């Protein structure tokens, strides 16, 4: 299955960047790594737990590419027998939720349908909305901090403003 993919090295001429722009790159990469880890949580859950259970290096790499045990190029079919089918709502909704249950709950609580919101089930069984910026606060704060650091180095006012706005959006949804 891994043969479906090929390695590609993205290269560019960094000499065209100013010294401050070159200082920004590691900060932007750090912010992207935070977001990548967050995507793992949303798509699968605990990345380390999954990868540590896969002993075959090719299988581990395939899981890394697919952000979990489901083959994204094959309709999310599980490639690890114990994985089972991918939950339709990934980790955005409880795995046992039905569309009907969601619609009934959302009629009572419209916040369940808001963008940038996770749906969680309380111990009582009741569904509740949890905004991304609450659910993922520590990761989003770290990514936002890196974007703000990069913005402080930006010489272009448009880029500076863009990075500042993105940082603010991460922590406010």
């Amino acid at each position: 299955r891994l043969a479906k993919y090929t390695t590609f090295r993205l290269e560019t001429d960094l000499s065209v960047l100013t010294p401050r722009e070159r200082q920004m790159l590691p900060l932007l990469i750090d912010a992207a790594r935070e977001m990548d880890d967050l995507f793992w949580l949303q798509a699968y859950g605990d990345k380390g737990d999954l990868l540590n259970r896969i002993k075959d290096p090719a299988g581990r790499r395939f899981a890394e590419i697919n952000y979990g045990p489901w083959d994204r190029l094959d309709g999310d079919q599980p490639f690890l027998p114990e994985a089972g089918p991918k939950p339709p709502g990934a980790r955005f909704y409880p795995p046992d939720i039905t569309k009907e249950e969601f619609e009934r709950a959302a009629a009572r609580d419209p916040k369940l349908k808001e963008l940038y919101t996770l749906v969680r089930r309380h111990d009582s069984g009741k569904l509740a909305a949890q905004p991304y910026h609450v659910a993922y606060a520590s990761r989003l704060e770290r990514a936002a901090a890196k974007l703000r650091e990069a913005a402080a180095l930006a010489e272009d006012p448009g880029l500076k403003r863009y990075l500042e706005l993105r940082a603010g959006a991460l922590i406010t949804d």
Side-chain angles (χ1 to χ4, degrees), residues 66 69-79 84-86:
N66 284 279
W70 304 286
D71 187 342
R72 289 175 178 262
L73 294 181
D74 188 19
D76 285 326
Q77 292 299 310
F79 58 86
K86 184 174 183 178

Side-chain angles (χ1 to χ4, degrees), residues 5-146:
Y5 297 91
T6 188
T7 301
F8 178 81
R9 184 168 175 83
L10 185 61
E11 296 179 1
T12 190
D13 179 9
L14 299 179
S15 69
V16 299
L17 300 177
T18 68
R20 289 174 68 100
E21 288 170 334
R22 279 195 288 276
Q23 285 180 282
M24 291 171 66
L25 289 178
L27 299 169
L28 297 173
I29 290 168
D30 287 346
R33 284 188 177 128
E34 287 291 343
M35 300 311 293
D36 190 68
D37 287 344
L38 181 55
F39 185 74
W40 259 99
L41 282 175
Q42 294 171 338
Y44 172 75
D46 186 341
K47 169 175 109 174
D49 178 58
L50 174 67
L51 297 179
N52 289 336
R53 287 187 282 130
I54 304 172
K55 302 306 176 203
D56 172 50
R60 191 174 309 111
R61 182 66 186 129
F62 196 71
E64 289 171 343
I65 290 169
N66 284 279
Y67 288 84
W70 304 286
D71 187 342
R72 289 175 178 262
L73 294 181
D74 188 19
D76 285 326
Q77 292 299 310
F79 58 86
L80 296 178
E82 68 274 12
K86 184 174 183 178
R91 305 250 317 164
F92 296 98
Y93 301 91
D96 62 343
I97 194 172
T98 64
K99 183 176 181 178
E100 295 75 24
E101 177 187 20
F102 175 75
E103 292 299 333
R104 283 192 309 274
R108 292 187 303 276
D109 183 2
K111 288 182 179 180
L112 291 170
K113 286 191 170 184
E114 289 180 2
L115 290 176
Y116 311 110
T117 300
L118 304 171
V119 177
R120 296 295 182 236
R121 188 182 302 284
H122 289 295
D123 291 339
S124 66
K126 183 180 177 189
L127 298 177
Q130 184 180 35
Y132 283 14
H133 77 275
V134 173
Y136 305 123
S138 61
R139 282 182 167 80
L140 293 173
E141 284 286 348
R142 287 191 299 266
K146 293 298 181 178

